[in-house]
């Protein structure tokens, strides 16, 4: 599992920053207010430390020894200061609150954009990228980004402002002491650099070990039942201890570096504080420079205020680099190319007019038609029938590696076409081409006579119902899961679909019936029950073409027969593609295609193929093994 | 919860105690600094009648340098020990949880679900680790800093010190209110985050479903709704937290100004020195800043409390399958008796999934089980190796109740190939040796031949050393099933249970496996759950399950004649194959 910014170098930080700044657009005015407020707040804090000097030199020393001191000037000064500091504190409140809105707003925007864009990506992207890695962009990366924006950035900006104001303040007080402070800052930066390098190295090691341990935990916990069945607990514990120990070692090293940075910088600051007192004292005594007691008194807190922001910045720097690395990964996903869709043929509700021509209808009719606009401005309508023709189709997931060769087939309206073959023969791949999860390399696929490349993808997929090999249900009630096929389906429709899929009985037995919440990927249901629900989900969508990819593999044959009977009634007049391992599932198909290594090697009805005594016959009689 | 977790500190107790000690020492040094500084200024810089006393400056200065260095070393040491203690604590927590989970029964695992256990072992441990480090460092540092600084400041000037003492309750109350308001919102936000991540995760896994049903907009909307709640709640909470800073600033500034006002009069009046004023100011900062830190750590600790609770839940979970006092160490034979067995996963007697089952299986018999989806076939066989305990009645294996055996013994003697089976990352050999860590290469080849896995293993480039990817994704379903069977055979069990374990294996190989079983391990009781009638038809006895009850028991011929369900299943599979097969 990849973690955010794991020791990776930023490719182009300035580009990332520029892009992040573009998100500020809607907040321009507010951002300016924030900047102004930060300046005010930092100035107030500098002012408060400078006040010591004024206090001692202007209001205390002159009054020393007078019998009847007049404190009215001091009172006035304090009132003015109070007003200024109050404004500073309020400015601090204001910028913090505005920054919350800005950083949360930007975070939400990025999050939403990321998800919306992810939905447009082609299937290939999800096949070739680890889910854990994509997931970490939503969790780690966005979170580090938020922390940077709401905490690190304002802090760093405030620190920078403080450094400037305090530097100016120090210069006005005394040049020599200022130079001394600068020298010390150089020492601190040097120390920081040494520690930070060691910290970064060990941090990378820690992340690697952590990934290792977490990966092990994930694999073992998910296979926990097998561990128990084999009484393999002890061996697993041993392996775990070894990995856990390694993590502990690198975590200790990484944290040690991180932990000692602050006390060291802090106390170097204290050391500097002491040295200034000594140097200042010496300068004052020997009269080398015009130094008063007030100047030393004021310089001490100032010097601390000067070095503190440096250590603050060095602490935040790591967070900023991590966040920028995270932002880069987020933008990388956002820049992934979306699924191409040059289709312009759309699916519309249709009806016949008086002259038996197909026309578009605003109402929901039971009839659908392809709306096909032409270059000359005319529009033709083709009735949606569900006829699919493939001609000389070649395809490869990788351009150089063709996995399907010369696939040609015709599925007439209402026909049931089956694919049979060994794992990896290309059965699922063919169906992935029909719904355009992937695009063919060569050849043509026509749907009701229209090249499917011309059909808008969403409309094409709406006209296809698919029950996939791996069942995926979503967290929610059973009802919601079935309704996924048709969002506005009534409860009666849901139940009718469940009955057709033979799922009604067991759903009724669940604790809350149709309102039982399924979590995870249907954890508490058996594999077969999940398949039944996913079949109900496809049934309710009521598409003219159905693709069943090993849809009943975990369902016993008797239930399968019942489901099939129900579906056969429903599917009457609809085109069905069936992929199945079990030959009993495909036997009654109108056409069976036997695939081997990406080619159709035999085709025909069950009886024809049996008579041919070819591969299908061998499979059927058990003389050949499907693996 | 805290006591539960604290048990995991163990060998890191030393480091956990040393950390706060060094933290306190560092604090003492830091508090001494302003005090010495005041002396330096009063007796050094402005000493000697205002001319300054260089000797004193050097003497006190060196002392100050020494103190600062000591603080630096104490600070660094505390950091080092804190790292040791927290990383070690996290290690022990993971260790304890992992070990505990190894002892979990199936129903314990079901209760938590695997994914939630994984989160608890990973994310939650990290949260607690960070909080622990925070507690032994900052949470110790801040209060001590406050107390010491307070003592020192009272030492310097009693009456002035009262001014900021007056501010402490103001700050404490203000911060308490802020936290009180923000905390529930934060907990809510984190729960919503879980939901958001769940949506993303499901979309990643089910992207084909989303795209097939053209539900991208629906999902974006679903995501947007949750995202919006997070935005609103999070902004609300952070806006409240934003009050922390001005509360602190106003207090600090007020203290400075008030002290300035009175100090000026004291100094002019001669009852106070300039140096004392400067050290007072430093103490003000130290005290108020430590209050700030206290509030920050409180927020952190409260946030990680949820994680701590979740870990404690795992650790304190009552394991519901336990060995008896004097467990039996030997299983006599492979006979099985179900005596009026009822079973429910939820222990709720109204939701029984097995009802009043009676059944006798002789040692060495082959038993087939057939039944519809959800007819509780798997539940039935899972009771035999005591993966779950019966709700009522008893199961007798080898003449004794399964609950009387040592759990490990009964599971070693009853090998089960699960329906949702898993191979682990590692070589084929390593995976098979799960069955018997001491198995020789010959043993392994023998069981692979039995499970009809030898052929395809020999065809692989690295043969028995072929590396299996996590989840066994680089072998086909049929191959995976045969490897799992081989793995179970290596245990040389008295009873072997195959729970739909040959569904992806073709009929011919299936037949060969059964033939091998019959010839090579005749004394082992074999229970086979299958969907194909052909897998069970030559069994000694076939059990037909329907809705948690035994519908019929008999041989193939008997059932074909007398049992409607069996006949139906048979017919649904045999149409046309008799004349061709």
């Amino acid at each position: 599992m990849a973690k955010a910014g794991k020791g990776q170098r930023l490719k182009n930080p300035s580009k990332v920053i520029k892009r992040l700044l573009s998100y500020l657009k809607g907040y321009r005015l507010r951002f300016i207010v924030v900047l102004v407020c930060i300046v005010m707040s930092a100035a107030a804090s500098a002012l408060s430390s400078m006040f010591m000097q004024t206090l001692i030199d202007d209001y205390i020393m002159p009054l020393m020894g007078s019998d009847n001191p007049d404190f009215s000037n001091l009172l006035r000064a304090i009132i003015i200061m109070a007003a200024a500091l109050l404004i500073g504190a309020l400015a601090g409140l204001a910028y913090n609150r505005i920054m919350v809105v800005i950083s949360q707003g930007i975070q939400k925007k990025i999050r939403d954009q990321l998800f919306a864009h992810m939905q447009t990506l082609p299937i290939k992207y999800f096949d070739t990228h680890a889910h854990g890695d994509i997931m970490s962009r939503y969790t780690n990366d966005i979170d580090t980004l938020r922390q940077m924006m709401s905490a690190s950035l304002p802090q760093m900006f405030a620190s920078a402002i403080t450094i400037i104001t305090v530097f100016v303040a120090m210069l006005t007080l005394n040049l020599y002491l200022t130079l001394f402070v600068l020298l010390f800052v150089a020492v601190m930066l040097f120390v920081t650099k040494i520690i930070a390098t060691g910290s970064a190295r060990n941090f990378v090691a820690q992340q690697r070990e952590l990934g290792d341990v977490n990966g092990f935990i994930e694999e073992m916990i998910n296979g926990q039942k097998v561990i128990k069945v084999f009484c393999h607990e002890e061996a697993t514990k041993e392996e775990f201890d070894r990995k856990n120990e390694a993590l502990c070692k690198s975590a200790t090293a990484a944290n040690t570096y991180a932990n000692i940075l602050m006390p060291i910088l802090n106390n170097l600051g204290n050391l500097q504080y002491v040295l200034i007192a000594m140097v200042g004292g010496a300068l004052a005594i020997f009269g080398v420079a015009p130094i008063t007691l007030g100047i030393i008194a004021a310089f001490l807190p100032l010097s601390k205020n000067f070095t503190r922001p440096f250590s603050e910045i060095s602490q935040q720097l790591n967070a900023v680099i991590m966040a920028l690395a995270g932002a880069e990964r987020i933008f990388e996903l956002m820049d992934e190319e979306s699924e191409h869709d040059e289709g312009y043929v759309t699916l519309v509700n249709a009806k016949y007019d008086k002259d038996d021509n197909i026309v578009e209808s605003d109402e929901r009719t039971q009839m659908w038609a392809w709306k096909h606009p032409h270059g000359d401005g005319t529009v033709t309508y083709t009735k949606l029938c569900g006829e699919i023709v493939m001609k000389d189709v070649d395809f490869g997931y990788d351009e150089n590696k063709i996995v399907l060769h010369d696939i040609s087939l015709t599925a007439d309206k209402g026909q049931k076409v089956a694919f049979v073959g060994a794992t990896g023969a290309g059965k699922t791949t063919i169906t992935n081409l029909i719904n355009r999860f992937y695009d063919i390399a060569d050849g043509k696929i026509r749907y009701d006579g229209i090249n499917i490349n011309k059909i808008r993808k969403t409309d094409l997929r709406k006209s296809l119902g698919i029950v996939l090999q791996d069942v995926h249900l979503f967290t929610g009630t059973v009802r919601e899961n079935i309704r996924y096929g048709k969002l506005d389906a009534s409860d009666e429709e849901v139940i009718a679909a469940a009955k057709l899929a033979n799922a009604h009985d067991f759903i009724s037995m669940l604790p809350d019936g149709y309102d039982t919440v399924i979590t995870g990927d249907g954890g508490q249901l058996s594999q077969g029950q999940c398949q039944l629900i996913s079949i109900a989900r496809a049934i309710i969508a009521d598409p003219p073409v159905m693709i069943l990819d090993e849809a009943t593999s975990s369902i016993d044959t008797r239930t399968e027969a019942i489901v099939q009977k129900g579906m056969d009634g429903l599917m009457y007049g609809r085109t069905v593609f069936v992929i199945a391992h079990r030959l009993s599932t495909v036997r009654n198909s109108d056409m069976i295609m036997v695939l081997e290594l990406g080619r159709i090697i035999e085709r025909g009805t069950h009886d024809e193929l049996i008579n041919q005594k070819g591969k299908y016959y061998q499979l059927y009689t058990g003389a050949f093994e499907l693996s | 919860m805290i006591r539960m977790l604290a048990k995991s500190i163990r060998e890191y107790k030393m480091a956990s105690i040393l950390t706060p000690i060094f933290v306190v020492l560092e604090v003492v040094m830091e508090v001494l600094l302003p005090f010495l500084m005041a002396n330096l200024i009063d007796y050094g810089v402005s000493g000697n009648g205002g001319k300054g006393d260089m000797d004193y400056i050097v003497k006190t200065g060196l002392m100050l340098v020494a103190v600062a260095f000591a603080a630096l070393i104490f600070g660094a040491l505390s950091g080092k020990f804190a790292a040791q203690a927290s990383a070690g604590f996290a290690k022990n927590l993971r260790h304890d949880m992992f070990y505990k989970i190894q002892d979990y029964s199936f129903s314990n695992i079901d209760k938590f679900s695997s994914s939630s256990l994984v989160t608890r072992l990973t994310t939650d441990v990290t949260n607690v680790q960070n909080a622990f480090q925070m507690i032994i460092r900052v949470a110790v540092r801040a209060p001590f800093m406050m107390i010491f600084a307070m003592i020192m400041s009272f030492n310097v000037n009693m009456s002035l010190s009262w001014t900021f003492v007056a501010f402490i309750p103001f700050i404490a109350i203000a911060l308490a209110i802020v936290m009180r308001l923000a905390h529930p919102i934060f907990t809510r936000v984190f729960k919503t985050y879980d939901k958001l991540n769940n949506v993303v995760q499901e979309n990643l896994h089910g992207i084909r479903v989303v795209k097939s049903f053209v539900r991208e907009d629906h999902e974006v909307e679903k995501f947007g709704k949750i995202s919006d709640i997070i935005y609103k709640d999070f902004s609300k909470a952070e806006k409240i937290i934003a009050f922390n800073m001005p509360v602190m600033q106003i207090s600090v500034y007020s203290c400075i100004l008030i002290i300035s006002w009175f100090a000026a009069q004291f100094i002019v009046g001669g009852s106070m020195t300039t140096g004392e004023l400067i050290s007072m100011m430093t103490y003000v900062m130290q005290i108020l800043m430590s209050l700030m830190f206290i509030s920050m750590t409180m927020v952190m600790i409260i946030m990680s409390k949820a994680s701590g609770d979740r870990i404690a839940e795992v650790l304190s979970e009552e394991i519901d399958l336990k060995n008896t006092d004097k467990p039996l160490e030997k299983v006599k034979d492979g006979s099985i008796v179900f005596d009026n067995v009822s079973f429910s996963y939820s222990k709720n007697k109204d939701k029984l999934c097995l009802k009043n089952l009676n059944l006798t299986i002789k040692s060495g018999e082959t038993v087939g089980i057939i039944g519809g989806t959800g007819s509780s076939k798997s539940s039935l066989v899972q009771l035999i190796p005591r993966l779950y305990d019966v709700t009522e009645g008893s199961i007798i294996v080898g003449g004794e109740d399964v609950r009387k055996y040592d759990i490990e013994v009964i599971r070693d003697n009853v090998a089960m190939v699960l329906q949702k089976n898993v191979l682990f990352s590692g070589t084929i050999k390593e995976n098979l040796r799960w069955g018997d860590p001491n198995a020789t290469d010959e043993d392994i080849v023998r069981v692979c031949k039995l499970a009809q896995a030898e052929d395809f293993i020999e065809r692989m480039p690295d043969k028995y050393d072929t590396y299996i990817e996590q989840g066994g994704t680089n072998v086909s379903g049929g191959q995976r099933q045969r490897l799992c069977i081989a793995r179970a055979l290596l245990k040389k069990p008295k009873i072997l249970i195959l729970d739909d374990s040959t569904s992806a294996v073709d009929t011919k190989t299936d037949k060969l496996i059964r033939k091998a079983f019959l010839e090579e391990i005749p004394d082992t009781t074999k229970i086979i759950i299958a969907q194909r009638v052909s897998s069970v038809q030559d069994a000694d006895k076939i059990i037909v399950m329907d809705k948690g009850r035994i519908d019929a028991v008999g041989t193939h011929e008997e059932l074909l004649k007398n049992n409607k369900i069996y006949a139906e299943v048979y017919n649904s599979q045999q149409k046309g194959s008799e004349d061709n097969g």
Side-chain angles (χ1 to χ4, degrees), chain B residues 1 128 131 183 300-311:
Chain B
M1 182 267 280
V128 169
H183 175 243
M300 271 280 291
I301 291 166
I302 287 172
M303 277 186 191
S304 61
K305 187 178 167 289
S307 290
D309 285 337
R310 284 152 55 91
I311 291 174

Side-chain angles (χ1 to χ4, degrees), chain A residues 112 119 121 219 225 228-229 241 244-245 247 259 339 475 484 556-557 582 587 622 625, chain B residues 91 94 99 102 104 110 133 202-203 211 215 219 227 373 425 482 491 506 508 531 573 575:
Chain A
D112 291 354
Q119 294 291 339
L121 295 179
E219 178 168 10
K225 291 193 171 179
K228 300 232 62 111
V229 168
D241 280 344
N244 197 16
E245 192 61 48
L247 168 63
N259 282 353
E339 226 174 331
T475 302
Y484 203 79
D556 66 291
T557 45
R582 237 186 252 157
R587 198 161 43 205
E625 168 185 349
Chain B
K91 181 189 87 176
R94 269 191 295 266
Y99 272 49
Q102 296 306 316
Y104 271 19
D110 293 343
Q133 180 155 302
E202 287 187 351
N203 268 275
K211 287 199 177 260
R215 288 287 175 262
E219 293 298 324
S227 169
T373 303
S425 42
R482 276 175 282 169
K491 287 215 287 195
D506 62 286
K508 191 186 154 209
Q531 285 161 14
Q573 295 172 14
K575 239 181 278 166

Side-chain angles (χ1 to χ4, degrees), chain A residues 228-293:
Chain A
K228 300 232 62 111
V229 168
F230 281 93
C231 300
H232 209 259
E233 292 94 337
E234 292 310 317
T236 314
K237 284 177 186 172
E238 219 170 274
E239 174 82 5
F240 174 77
D241 280 344
R242 208 174 46 70
K243 290 182 192 290
N244 197 16
E245 192 61 48
L247 168 63
C248 178
K249 221 164 147 193
S250 59
T252 307
N255 277 314
T256 302
Y257 275 107
N259 282 353
I260 60 173
L261 181 64
M262 269 328 264
I264 288 182
L265 287 185
N266 232 340
N267 285 306
L268 279 180
N270 285 336
L271 199 63
Q272 172 205 257
Y273 194 73
V274 173
L275 290 177
I276 287 176
M278 288 172 67
V279 173
L283 289 175
I285 290 172
F286 297 117
V288 182
I291 286 184
T292 62
L293 186 59

Side-chain angles (χ1 to χ4, degrees), chain B residues 149-167:
Chain B
M150 200 93 94
I151 294 170
M152 293 306 283
S153 65
F154 271 92
N155 201 15
V156 171
N157 193 304
M158 188 82 91
S159 44
L160 277 185
S161 298
W162 287 113
T163 53
F164 56 74
V165 171
F167 273 93

Side-chain angles (χ1 to χ4, degrees), chain A residues 152-434:
Chain A
S152 306
L153 275 192
Q155 164 104 64
M156 283 177 68
F157 189 71
S159 297
I161 300 279
T162 311
I163 288 172
I164 295 168
T165 47
V166 172
F167 185 68
V168 172
M170 287 197 308
L171 271 183
T172 56
L173 287 176
N174 188 284
L175 176 68
Y176 295 104
L177 287 179
T178 311
L179 286 177
F180 181 77
V181 170
L182 283 181
L183 187 76
F184 220 87
V185 166
V187 172
M188 285 172 72
L189 289 181
F190 179 68
V191 172
T192 308
K193 192 169 179 308
I194 291 173
I195 296 177
T197 321
S199 162
R201 193 182 56 236
N202 283 291
F203 191 69
V204 172
Q206 181 196 301
Q207 289 298 320
R208 196 179 48 231
E209 308 281 4
L210 189 66
D212 196 26
V213 168
N214 289 354
F216 183 79
I217 288 173
E218 216 171 321
E219 178 168 10
M220 288 307 141
I221 298 293
N222 283 319
Q224 191 62 36
K225 291 193 171 179
V226 177
I227 293 178
K228 300 232 62 111
V229 168
F230 281 93
C231 300
H232 209 259
E233 292 94 337
E234 292 310 317
T236 314
K237 284 177 186 172
E238 219 170 274
E239 174 82 5
F240 174 77
D241 280 344
R242 208 174 46 70
K243 290 182 192 290
N244 197 16
E245 192 61 48
L247 168 63
C248 178
K249 221 164 147 193
S250 59
T252 307
N255 277 314
T256 302
Y257 275 107
N259 282 353
I260 60 173
L261 181 64
M262 269 328 264
I264 288 182
L265 287 185
N266 232 340
N267 285 306
L268 279 180
N270 285 336
L271 199 63
Q272 172 205 257
Y273 194 73
V274 173
L275 290 177
I276 287 176
M278 288 172 67
V279 173
L283 289 175
I285 290 172
F286 297 117
V288 182
I291 286 184
T292 62
L293 186 59
I295 288 179
I296 295 178
F299 214 93
L300 288 172
L302 272 182
S303 73
K304 252 201 148 167
N305 281 349
F306 187 65
T307 47
R308 204 181 43 224
F310 278 103
S311 58
E312 276 167 1
I313 289 179
S314 64
Q315 263 218 325
Q316 300 296 343
L317 217 52
N318 208 19
V320 171
I321 291 169
M322 290 239 313
L324 287 182
E328 196 166 69
R329 284 156 48 82
I330 291 170
F331 292 145
E332 202 178 79
L333 197 144
M334 282 196 198
D335 290 341
E336 281 292 333
E337 217 169 319
S338 299
E339 226 174 331
H340 275 302
D341 195 0
E342 63 288 6
Y344 51 89
V345 175
T346 52
L347 197 61
V348 293
N349 276 299
K351 63 182 178 199
Y352 288 106
D353 68 1
K354 304 186 285 287
D355 311 320
D356 260 1
N357 291 320
I358 299 171
V359 291
E360 202 173 332
S361 161
D362 294 335
E363 298 151 36
R364 286 197 62 139
T365 55
Q366 286 303 307
M367 185 177 146
W368 295 86
W370 297 109
K371 181 182 181 181
H372 196 157
H374 297 279
D376 55 6
T378 57
V379 176
T380 54
Y381 293 93
T382 315
K383 191 176 177 219
L384 175 73
C385 297
E387 178 199 279
I388 292 189
V389 178
M390 296 180 112
K391 196 158 187 304
D392 303 331
V393 170
D394 286 350
F395 171 75
Y397 291 99
D398 180 347
E399 276 169 36
N400 306 315
K401 238 178 103 186
I402 299 296
V403 296
L404 285 181
H405 309 268
D406 298 325
I407 302 293
S408 293
L409 64 91
T410 305
D412 284 334
K413 176 182 181 229
Q415 268 196 333
K416 182 168 169 185
V417 177
F419 297 105
V420 175
T423 313
K427 296 167 298 194
T428 302
T429 311
I430 292 186
T431 60
N432 277 342
L433 298 179
I434 297 173

Side-chain angles (χ1 to χ4, degrees), chain B residues 132-417:
Chain B
F132 181 70
Q133 180 155 302
M134 198 85 167
I135 291 170
I136 57 175
R137 289 185 77 203
V138 187
V140 171
R141 182 190 163 89
F144 271 98
M145 178 67 106
M146 203 169 94
I147 293 166
F148 286 145
M150 200 93 94
I151 294 170
M152 293 306 283
S153 65
F154 271 92
N155 201 15
V156 171
N157 193 304
M158 188 82 91
S159 44
L160 277 185
S161 298
W162 287 113
T163 53
F164 56 74
V165 171
F167 273 93
I168 290 176
F170 163 70
I171 294 172
I173 291 170
L175 293 184
I177 292 174
V178 165
M179 266 170 48
R180 191 73 191 235
L181 291 176
H183 175 243
I185 308 179
F186 272 123
T187 13
R188 204 165 63 213
V189 168
F190 289 123
K191 282 208 184 110
T192 325
Y193 255 119
D194 283 347
K195 268 193 213 156
L196 188 88
N197 292 340
N198 191 32
V199 171
V200 178
Q201 195 127 38
E202 287 187 351
N203 268 275
L204 285 173
H205 288 303
I207 189 71
R208 284 186 158 79
V209 177
V210 175
K211 287 199 177 260
S212 308
F213 284 100
V214 198
R215 288 287 175 262
E216 288 95 334
D217 292 343
H218 174 74
E219 293 298 324
V220 169
E221 195 189 319
K222 191 158 90 185
F223 181 90
K225 263 187 206 152
I226 303 175
S227 169
D228 203 49
I229 296 173
I230 291 180
Y231 165 71
K232 283 190 185 130
D233 273 352
F234 222 136
S235 308
K236 211 197 270 164
E238 286 206 318
K239 272 186 183 171
I240 297 173
I241 292 286
F243 276 101
N244 268 355
M245 189 147 108
V247 165
M248 288 305 304
Q249 282 179 334
I250 287 177
S251 310
V252 172
Y253 292 154
S254 306
C255 284
I256 288 175
L257 293 180
I258 291 170
I259 290 174
S260 300
W261 169 247
F262 287 111
Q265 307 194 10
F266 290 156
I267 293 172
V268 172
S271 60
M272 192 180 172
T273 64
T274 331
E276 282 171 352
L277 169 64
I278 294 172
S279 60
M280 265 322 255
M281 289 298 185
T282 317
Y283 290 131
V284 169
M285 290 295 277
Q286 282 180 344
I287 290 170
L288 300 182
M289 284 312 264
S290 39
L291 263 178
M292 186 75 186
F293 272 117
I294 291 175
S295 82
M296 265 165 51
T297 39
M298 290 291 269
V299 172
M300 271 280 291
I301 291 166
I302 287 172
M303 277 186 191
S304 61
K305 187 178 167 289
S307 290
D309 285 337
R310 284 152 55 91
I311 291 174
E313 261 172 43
V314 172
L315 292 175
S316 60
E317 171 76 4
E318 185 97 26
I319 290 164
D320 61 358
L321 285 187
K322 281 200 191 100
N323 276 334
T324 49
D325 288 340
K326 280 186 192 141
L328 299 171
E329 299 288 345
K330 225 169 151 51
V331 180
K332 203 175 81 208
D333 56 34
S335 64
I336 306 164
V337 177
F338 278 70
D339 181 17
N340 205 22
V341 169
S342 293
F343 173 68
S344 156
Y345 285 100
S346 57
K347 305 209 164 67
N348 176 356
K349 288 183 184 153
D350 299 331
K351 294 253 173 217
L352 290 177
C353 65
L354 291 173
K355 286 164 227 145
N356 305 102
L357 242 61
N358 285 295
L359 183 68
T360 309
I361 297 169
K362 285 196 239 54
S363 188
E365 266 188 325
T366 301
V367 179
I369 302 179
I370 222 153
T373 303
S375 63
S376 305
K377 302 179 296 255
S378 300
S379 311
L380 175 82
V381 294
Q382 284 183 346
L383 299 175
I384 303 173
R386 211 185 161 202
L387 299 179
Y388 295 92
D389 266 341
V390 293
T391 310
E392 266 172 46
S394 62
I395 289 172
I396 293 149
V397 169
E400 296 285 350
D401 191 309
V402 285
R403 282 167 291 197
K404 288 192 187 153
Y405 290 107
D406 183 88
I407 293 179
E408 203 162 311
V409 169
I410 185 82
R411 288 193 187 149
D412 271 337
N413 282 283
V414 182
M416 175 142 171
V417 183

